[in-house]
Amino acid sequence: MSLGALRIMCVLVTLPACARGQDQGTVMVFAAGGTALAIERIVDLYERHKGGRVVVSFAAASTLARQIDAGAPADIIVSASDEWMDWLDDRGLVEASSRRVLAGNRLVLIASAGSGMKVSIGPRMDLSSLLEGGRLATGDPDHVPVGRYARAALENLGAWDGIEDHLARTQTTRAALVLVERGEAPLGIVYASDASSSDKVEVLGTFDASTHPPIVFSAAIVKRRGTEAVENFFGFLAGEQAKAVFEDEGFVVE
């Protein structure tokens, strides 16, 4: 098992025990699942070149925000939803002055590689006929940002009513990607960065940015967690080396 996998397992399975075992120089990051590959690469760069230690927990923005509200020992939050970042900010749970936009993304429709499917993304597109009784995989629109973006896009295109009852609602965008990779769902709506990470899916089309709210991944330091170690990693996360990683992973970086 890789170091990254061990790191994630430690947080997701035994978070309290891991937290007790950390020294004061360890940085705990709560990050949106859609950033997993990029964040793991950034953490690896930081630990190899800066010498600090960073532990990461990946989940949906809503889950991470509520865990922080419940007192989870996060130092930094990386969210795929401004709505949930605002939710934390309104409760005084993040340092408002620390909020930074890390990257943007695009919303894409995917199928298994070699599917031969053809679709034109536009008003009244008929996704249900392409599903042929299967399901459209995306994040749960009630909780997961990618699902919220997908619902907004489909509503704006007049396609939501025909697809709402045919969703495979996942807890992360990566889980939606895996369903399409395995052929368990004929179609999926994920971030372009997810699609670019897999040779088992193909992009059928990209949703116009005007059909959904801007997809923004932002970060902030959790209130009263701004130690020197936290500030150092946060600066690296918002710096040029991290931007290069995000861009390489298919995110939009300005």
Coordinates of all heavy atoms in Angstrom, one line a residue, residues 33-89:
G33 N -13.0 15.7 -2.2 CA -12.6 14.4 -2.8 C -12.1 14.6 -4.3 O -11.2 13.9 -4.7
G34 N -12.6 15.7 -4.9 CA -12.2 15.9 -6.3 C -10.8 16.4 -6.4 O -10.2 16.5 -7.6
T35 N -10.2 16.8 -5.3 CA -8.8 17.3 -5.4 C -7.8 16.2 -5.0 O -6.6 16.5 -4.9 CB -8.6 18.5 -4.4 OG1 -8.7 18.0 -3.0 CG2 -9.6 19.6 -4.6
A36 N -8.2 15.0 -4.8 CA -7.4 14.0 -4.2 C -6.0 13.8 -4.9 O -5.0 13.8 -4.2 CB -8.1 12.6 -4.1
L37 N -6.0 13.6 -6.2 CA -4.7 13.3 -6.9 C -3.8 14.6 -6.8 O -2.6 14.4 -6.6 CB -5.0 13.0 -8.3 CG -5.8 11.7 -8.6 CD1 -6.0 11.4 -10.1 CD2 -5.0 10.5 -7.9
A38 N -4.4 15.7 -7.0 CA -3.6 17.0 -6.9 C -3.0 17.2 -5.5 O -1.8 17.5 -5.4 CB -4.4 18.2 -7.4
I39 N -3.9 17.1 -4.5 CA -3.4 17.3 -3.1 C -2.4 16.3 -2.7 O -1.4 16.7 -2.1 CB -4.6 17.3 -2.2 CG1 -5.6 18.5 -2.5 CG2 -4.1 17.4 -0.7 CD1 -5.0 19.9 -2.2
E40 N -2.5 15.1 -3.1 CA -1.5 14.1 -2.7 C -0.2 14.4 -3.3 O 0.9 14.3 -2.7 CB -2.0 12.7 -3.1 CG -3.0 12.0 -2.2 CD -2.4 11.8 -0.8 OE1 -1.3 11.2 -0.7 OE2 -3.0 12.3 0.2
R41 N -0.2 14.9 -4.6 CA 1.1 15.3 -5.2 C 1.7 16.5 -4.5 O 2.9 16.6 -4.3 CB 0.8 15.6 -6.7 CG 0.6 14.3 -7.5 CD 0.4 14.7 -9.0 NE 1.5 15.5 -9.5 CZ 1.5 16.0 -10.8 NH1 0.5 15.9 -11.5 NH2 2.6 16.7 -11.2
I42 N 0.8 17.4 -4.2 CA 1.3 18.7 -3.5 C 1.9 18.3 -2.1 O 3.0 18.8 -1.8 CB 0.2 19.7 -3.4 CG1 -0.2 20.2 -4.8 CG2 0.6 20.8 -2.5 CD1 -1.5 21.0 -4.9
V43 N 1.2 17.5 -1.4 CA 1.7 17.0 -0.1 C 3.1 16.3 -0.2 O 4.0 16.6 0.5 CB 0.7 16.1 0.6 CG1 1.3 15.4 1.8 CG2 -0.5 16.9 1.0
D44 N 3.2 15.5 -1.2 CA 4.4 14.8 -1.4 C 5.6 15.7 -1.7 O 6.7 15.6 -1.2 CB 4.3 13.8 -2.6 CG 5.5 12.9 -2.8 OD1 5.9 12.2 -1.9 OD2 6.1 13.0 -3.9
L45 N 5.3 16.7 -2.6 CA 6.3 17.7 -2.9 C 6.7 18.5 -1.7 O 7.9 18.7 -1.4 CB 5.7 18.8 -3.9 CG 5.8 18.4 -5.4 CD1 5.1 19.5 -6.2 CD2 7.3 18.3 -5.9
Y46 N 5.7 18.9 -0.9 CA 6.0 19.7 0.3 C 6.9 18.9 1.3 O 7.8 19.3 1.9 CB 4.7 20.1 1.0 CG 4.9 20.9 2.2 CD1 5.2 22.3 2.1 CD2 4.7 20.4 3.5 CE1 5.3 23.1 3.3 CE2 4.9 21.1 4.6 CZ 5.2 22.5 4.5 OH 5.4 23.3 5.6
E47 N 6.5 17.6 1.6 CA 7.2 16.8 2.6 C 8.6 16.5 2.1 O 9.5 16.4 2.9 CB 6.4 15.5 2.8 CG 5.1 15.7 3.5 CD 4.4 14.5 3.9 OE1 4.6 13.4 3.2 OE2 3.5 14.5 4.8
R48 N 8.8 16.3 0.8 CA 10.1 16.0 0.3 C 11.1 17.2 0.3 O 12.3 17.1 0.6 CB 10.1 15.4 -1.1 CG 9.6 14.0 -1.1 CD 9.8 13.3 -2.5 NE 8.9 13.8 -3.5 CZ 9.3 14.5 -4.5 NH1 10.5 14.8 -4.7 NH2 8.4 14.9 -5.4
H49 N 10.5 18.4 0.0 CA 11.3 19.6 -0.2 C 11.3 20.5 1.0 O 12.3 21.3 1.2 CB 10.9 20.3 -1.4 CG 11.1 19.5 -2.7 ND1 12.4 19.2 -3.2 CD2 10.2 18.9 -3.5 CE1 12.3 18.5 -4.3 NE2 11.0 18.3 -4.5
K50 N 10.3 20.5 1.8 CA 10.1 21.4 3.0 C 10.3 20.7 4.3 O 10.6 21.3 5.3 CB 8.8 22.1 2.9 CG 8.5 22.9 1.6 CD 9.5 24.0 1.5 CE 9.2 24.8 0.2 NZ 10.2 26.0 0.0
G51 N 10.1 19.4 4.3 CA 10.3 18.6 5.5 C 9.2 18.5 6.5 O 9.4 17.9 7.6
G52 N 8.1 19.1 6.2 CA 7.0 19.1 7.2 C 6.2 17.8 7.0 O 6.4 17.0 6.1
R53 N 5.2 17.6 7.8 CA 4.3 16.4 7.7 C 2.9 16.8 7.6 O 2.4 17.7 8.4 CB 4.5 15.5 8.9 CG 3.6 14.2 8.8 CD 4.0 13.2 9.9 NE 3.2 11.9 9.7 CZ 2.0 11.7 10.3 NH1 1.6 12.5 11.2 NH2 1.4 10.6 10.1
V54 N 2.2 16.3 6.6 CA 0.8 16.7 6.3 C -0.1 15.4 6.2 O 0.3 14.5 5.6 CB 0.7 17.5 5.0 CG1 -0.8 17.9 4.7 CG2 1.6 18.7 5.0
V55 N -1.2 15.4 6.9 CA -2.2 14.3 6.9 C -3.4 14.9 6.2 O -3.9 16.0 6.5 CB -2.5 13.8 8.3 CG1 -3.5 12.7 8.3 CG2 -1.2 13.3 9.0
V56 N -4.0 14.1 5.3 CA -5.2 14.6 4.6 C -6.4 13.6 4.7 O -6.2 12.4 4.7 CB -4.8 14.7 3.1 CG1 -6.0 15.4 2.3 CG2 -3.5 15.4 2.9
S57 N -7.5 14.2 4.9 CA -8.8 13.5 4.8 C -9.6 14.0 3.7 O -9.9 15.2 3.6 CB -9.6 13.7 6.2 OG -10.8 13.1 6.1
F58 N -10.1 13.1 2.8 CA -10.9 13.5 1.6 C -12.3 13.1 1.8 O -12.6 12.0 2.2 CB -10.3 12.9 0.4 CG -8.9 13.3 0.0 CD1 -7.9 12.5 0.2 CD2 -8.7 14.6 -0.5 CE1 -6.6 12.9 -0.1 CE2 -7.4 15.0 -0.9 CZ -6.4 14.1 -0.7
A59 N -13.2 14.0 1.5 CA -14.7 13.7 1.6 C -15.4 14.9 0.8 O -14.8 15.8 0.3 CB -15.1 13.6 3.0
A60 N -16.7 14.8 0.8 CA -17.5 15.9 0.2 C -17.4 17.1 1.1 O -17.2 17.0 2.3 CB -19.0 15.4 0.1
A61 N -17.6 18.3 0.4 CA -17.4 19.6 1.1 C -18.4 19.6 2.3 O -18.1 20.1 3.4 CB -17.7 20.7 0.2
S62 N -19.6 19.1 2.1 CA -20.6 19.2 3.2 C -20.2 18.4 4.4 O -20.3 18.8 5.6 CB -22.0 18.7 2.7 OG -21.9 17.4 2.2
T63 N -19.7 17.2 4.1 CA -19.2 16.3 5.2 C -18.0 17.0 6.0 O -18.0 17.0 7.2 CB -18.7 15.0 4.6 OG1 -19.8 14.3 4.0 CG2 -18.2 14.1 5.7
L64 N -17.1 17.5 5.2 CA -15.9 18.1 5.9 C -16.3 19.3 6.7 O -15.8 19.5 7.9 CB -14.9 18.5 4.8 CG -14.3 17.4 4.0 CD1 -13.4 17.9 2.9 CD2 -13.6 16.4 4.9
A65 N -17.2 20.2 6.2 CA -17.7 21.4 6.9 C -18.4 21.0 8.2 O -18.1 21.6 9.2 CB -18.6 22.2 6.0
R66 N -19.2 20.0 8.1 CA -20.0 19.6 9.3 C -19.0 18.9 10.4 O -19.2 19.1 11.6 CB -21.1 18.6 9.0 CG -22.2 19.4 8.1 CD -23.4 18.5 8.0 NE -24.4 19.1 7.1 CZ -25.2 20.1 7.5 NH1 -25.2 20.6 8.7 NH2 -26.1 20.6 6.6
Q67 N -18.0 18.2 9.9 CA -17.0 17.7 10.8 C -16.3 18.8 11.5 O -16.0 18.7 12.7 CB -16.1 16.7 10.1 CG -16.7 15.4 9.6 CD -15.7 14.5 8.8 OE1 -14.7 15.0 8.4 NE2 -16.1 13.3 8.6
I68 N -15.9 19.8 10.8 CA -15.2 20.9 11.4 C -16.1 21.6 12.4 O -15.7 22.0 13.6 CB -14.7 21.9 10.4 CG1 -13.6 21.3 9.6 CG2 -14.3 23.2 11.0 CD1 -13.1 22.1 8.4
D69 N -17.4 21.8 12.1 CA -18.4 22.4 13.0 C -18.5 21.5 14.3 O -18.8 22.1 15.3 CB -19.7 22.5 12.3 CG -20.8 23.2 13.1 OD1 -20.4 24.3 13.7 OD2 -21.9 22.8 13.1
A70 N -18.3 20.2 14.1 CA -18.5 19.3 15.3 C -17.2 19.2 16.1 O -17.1 18.5 17.1 CB -18.9 17.9 14.8
G71 N -16.1 20.0 15.7 CA -14.9 20.0 16.4 C -13.8 19.1 15.9 O -12.8 18.9 16.6
A72 N -13.9 18.6 14.7 CA -12.8 17.8 14.2 C -11.5 18.6 14.1 O -11.6 19.8 13.8 CB -13.2 17.2 12.8
P73 N -10.4 17.9 14.3 CA -9.1 18.7 14.4 C -8.5 19.1 13.1 O -7.3 18.8 12.8 CB -8.2 17.7 15.1 CG -8.7 16.3 14.7 CD -10.2 16.5 14.5
A74 N -9.2 19.7 12.2 CA -8.7 20.2 10.9 C -7.9 21.5 11.1 O -8.3 22.3 11.9 CB -9.8 20.3 9.9
D75 N -6.8 21.6 10.4 CA -6.1 22.9 10.3 C -6.4 23.7 9.1 O -6.4 24.9 9.1 CB -4.6 22.6 10.4 CG -4.1 21.9 11.6 OD1 -4.5 22.3 12.7 OD2 -3.4 20.9 11.5
I76 N -6.6 23.0 8.0 CA -6.9 23.7 6.7 C -8.1 22.9 6.0 O -8.2 21.7 6.1 CB -5.7 23.6 5.8 CG1 -4.5 24.4 6.3 CG2 -6.0 24.1 4.3 CD1 -3.2 24.2 5.6
I77 N -9.0 23.7 5.4 CA -10.1 23.1 4.6 C -9.9 23.5 3.2 O -9.6 24.7 2.8 CB -11.4 23.6 5.1 CG1 -12.6 23.2 4.2 CG2 -11.5 25.1 5.3 CD1 -13.0 21.8 4.3
V78 N -10.0 22.5 2.3 CA -10.0 22.8 0.8 C -11.4 22.3 0.3 O -11.7 21.2 0.4 CB -8.9 22.0 0.1 CG1 -9.0 22.2 -1.4 CG2 -7.5 22.4 0.6
S79 N -12.2 23.3 -0.1 CA -13.5 23.0 -0.5 C -13.8 23.2 -2.0 O -13.2 24.0 -2.6 CB -14.5 24.0 0.3 OG -15.8 23.7 0.0
A80 N -14.7 22.4 -2.5 CA -15.2 22.5 -3.9 C -16.4 23.3 -4.0 O -17.0 23.5 -5.0 CB -15.4 21.1 -4.5
S81 N -16.8 23.9 -2.8 CA -18.1 24.7 -2.8 C -17.9 26.0 -2.0 O -17.6 26.0 -0.8 CB -19.2 23.8 -2.1 OG -20.3 24.6 -1.8
D82 N -18.1 27.1 -2.7 CA -18.1 28.4 -2.0 C -19.3 28.4 -0.9 O -19.1 29.1 0.1 CB -18.2 29.5 -3.0 CG -16.9 30.0 -3.5 OD1 -15.9 29.6 -2.9 OD2 -16.9 30.8 -4.5
E83 N -20.3 27.7 -1.3 CA -21.5 27.7 -0.4 C -21.1 27.2 1.0 O -21.4 27.7 2.1 CB -22.6 26.9 -1.0 CG -23.9 26.8 -0.1 CD -24.9 25.9 -0.7 OE1 -24.8 25.5 -1.9 OE2 -25.9 25.7 0.0
W84 N -20.3 26.1 1.0 CA -20.0 25.5 2.3 C -18.8 26.2 2.9 O -18.7 26.3 4.2 CB -19.6 24.0 2.1 CG -20.8 23.1 2.0 CD1 -21.4 22.6 0.9 CD2 -21.7 22.8 3.1 NE1 -22.5 21.9 1.2 CE2 -22.8 22.0 2.5 CE3 -21.7 23.1 4.4 CZ2 -23.8 21.5 3.3 CZ3 -22.8 22.6 5.2 CH2 -23.8 21.8 4.6
M85 N -18.0 26.9 2.1 CA -16.9 27.7 2.7 C -17.6 28.9 3.4 O -17.2 29.3 4.5 CB -15.9 28.2 1.7 CG -14.7 28.8 2.2 SD -13.6 27.7 3.2 CE -12.6 27.1 1.9
D86 N -18.6 29.5 2.8 CA -19.4 30.6 3.4 C -20.0 30.1 4.7 O -20.1 30.9 5.6 CB -20.4 31.1 2.4 CG -19.8 31.9 1.2 OD1 -18.6 32.3 1.3 OD2 -20.5 32.0 0.2
W87 N -20.6 28.9 4.6 CA -21.2 28.3 5.8 C -20.3 28.3 7.0 O -20.6 28.7 8.1 CB -21.7 26.9 5.4 CG -22.6 26.2 6.4 CD1 -23.9 26.3 6.6 CD2 -22.1 25.3 7.5 NE1 -24.3 25.5 7.6 CE2 -23.3 24.9 8.2 CE3 -20.9 24.8 7.8 CZ2 -23.2 23.9 9.2 CZ3 -20.8 23.9 8.9 CH2 -22.0 23.5 9.5
L88 N -19.0 27.9 6.7 CA -18.0 27.8 7.8 C -17.6 29.3 8.2 O -17.5 29.5 9.4 CB -16.8 27.1 7.3 CG -16.9 25.6 7.1 CD1 -15.7 25.1 6.4 CD2 -17.0 24.9 8.5
D89 N -17.5 30.1 7.2 CA -17.1 31.5 7.5 C -18.2 32.2 8.4 O -17.9 32.9 9.4 CB -17.0 32.3 6.2 CG -16.1 33.5 6.3 OD1 -15.8 33.9 7.5 OD2 -15.7 34.1 5.3

